[in-house]
Amino acid sequence: MTTQPPGESGTQAVPTCYRHPDRETYVRCQRCERPICPDCMRDAAVGFQCPECVAEGNKGVRQVQAVFGGGAVTTPYVTWGLLILNVLAYIAENVSDQVLNGLAMSSGAVAYGGEWWRLITGAFLHSPLDAGSFALTHILFNMWALYAIGPELERRLGSTRFLALYLLSALGGSVAVYLFGIAAVGASGAIYGMFGALFVVSRKLGYDVRGVLWLIGINVVITFMVPNISWQGHLGGLVTGVVVAAALVHAPARNRTTVQLAGCAAVLLILVAVVALLPPYAFDTALRNGIFG
């Protein structure tokens, strides 16, 4: 709304901006009709509004969300960040042996050395280049899977929930290695968790899940057919990913965030409790049999 200036003979006082009393203005806010100067004008559907009315109006606008909660994702920054972190870790481990020695997943080091960080850091390392022909294939497959599946899951779940899924799946894979393996490296636990989550999400949205089942089935077969692959990490990540995804996508719309947070926290507590309360069975058996000398 605008007001016309008075004629030369008029006695009406010149209006001033309600936020800047020293500035004359003949423009009024379309909602509250208070005078506003150019610095306070905000474009509206018709005319201008003051900053306070714009802020009040935005409160009633529902923010766009991902399908299962969280902010809408246009660019999957978490996926790209995880991919870059894995690649940087791979470069670092090939430059210095200390990276693998200090960060790779090792059941004995976790159980008897108190090196809990290996449960997560091992999931960002891969077979080094001097480990043979399998080495490069290891990281290439995992990074391809992250690149192909990660953005879709991040857009469906939201960035924070996707990151929780990835890290918990990685941890689940490492916990399985802790119980039933000796040592391992690789993001495969997290990747298999993403496979499981893709199945849960697709089923919830009513998509045809046969392709996802084939993907999971083929990779499980490869896990047991190809030597030197940690089946513990793969299956541990797969199971954890399914459980976490179920908690995320089946949470009721009402109190969704609270239920999702509780579900993820419960999975985390269970995994931590397993490592804290149970021994590394495979490592202890190997130790008793004198495998480590």
Side-chain angles (χ1 to χ4, degrees):
M1 175 183 293
T2 59
T3 57
Q4 297 297 326
E8 295 180 357
S9 59
T11 59
Q12 181 179 346
V14 176
T16 59
C17 175
Y18 82 96
R19 299 177 77 232
H20 303 96
D22 58 328
R23 301 181 186 179
E24 298 181 2
T25 181
Y26 294 97
V27 178
R28 294 180 180 273
C29 172
Q30 290 292 313
R31 294 188 65 179
C32 66
E33 297 190 355
R34 289 179 292 187
I36 49 178
C37 68
D39 288 343
C40 297
M41 296 177 188
R42 303 292 184 269
D43 288 328
V46 177
F48 301 96
Q49 292 183 7
C50 66
E52 292 180 10
C53 287
V54 170
E56 185 66 26
N58 287 338
K59 292 180 181 180
V61 177
R62 185 174 181 178
Q63 300 299 315
V64 179
Q65 288 189 326
V67 177
F68 300 108
V73 176
T74 54
T75 302
Y77 290 113
V78 170
T79 298
W80 305 144
L82 290 170
L83 200 154
I84 292 171
L85 186 58
N86 275 277
V87 172
L88 291 177
Y90 190 67
I91 294 173
E93 71 181 68
N94 281 284
V95 171
S96 172
D97 293 337
Q98 295 302 314
V99 176
L100 274 175
N101 294 337
L103 301 179
M105 175 56 200
S106 169
S107 301
V110 171
Y112 304 118
E115 299 177 5
W116 283 56
W117 61 83
R118 293 177 180 267
L119 292 163
I120 287 295
T121 57
F124 288 92
L125 303 175
H126 290 82
S127 300
L129 290 173
D130 58 9
S133 59
F134 173 72
L136 198 55
T137 304
H138 189 202
I139 187 171
L140 286 178
F141 173 79
N142 283 341
M143 294 304 97
W144 171 83
L146 178 57
Y147 171 81
I149 302 175
E152 177 65 16
L153 283 176
E154 186 173 349
R155 290 188 178 98
R156 298 293 184 180
L157 298 174
S159 294
T160 302
R161 290 159 179 79
F162 172 70
L163 181 61
L165 168 75
Y166 186 94
L167 295 178
L168 287 173
S169 297
L171 180 60
S174 294
V175 169
V177 173
Y178 168 85
L179 291 176
F180 308 116
I182 304 298
V185 291
S188 299
I191 298 302
Y192 273 67
M194 289 168 52
F195 289 162
L198 185 62
F199 170 78
V200 174
V201 170
S202 298
R203 188 174 178 83
K204 175 66 175 179
L205 296 177
Y207 298 156
D208 188 346
V209 298
R210 287 176 293 182
V212 181
L213 288 176
W214 272 104
L215 175 67
I216 295 174
I218 291 173
N219 279 280
V220 169
V221 170
I222 292 175
T223 296
F224 290 99
M225 293 293 291
V226 178
N228 299 322
I229 289 183
S230 173
W231 62 266
Q232 302 93 339
H234 288 193
L235 297 188
L238 177 63
V239 172
T240 304
V242 169
V243 173
V244 172
L248 294 176
V249 307
H250 291 292
R254 185 176 183 181
N255 299 323
R256 171 179 284 163
T257 299
T258 301
V259 173
Q260 291 173 332
L261 179 61
C264 291
V267 172
L268 176 60
L269 289 176
I270 291 172
L271 293 175
V272 170
V274 166
V275 177
L277 301 176
L278 297 179
Y281 296 112
F283 179 86
D284 285 352
T285 299
L287 196 62
R288 288 194 300 269
N289 292 336
I291 294 178
F292 302 120

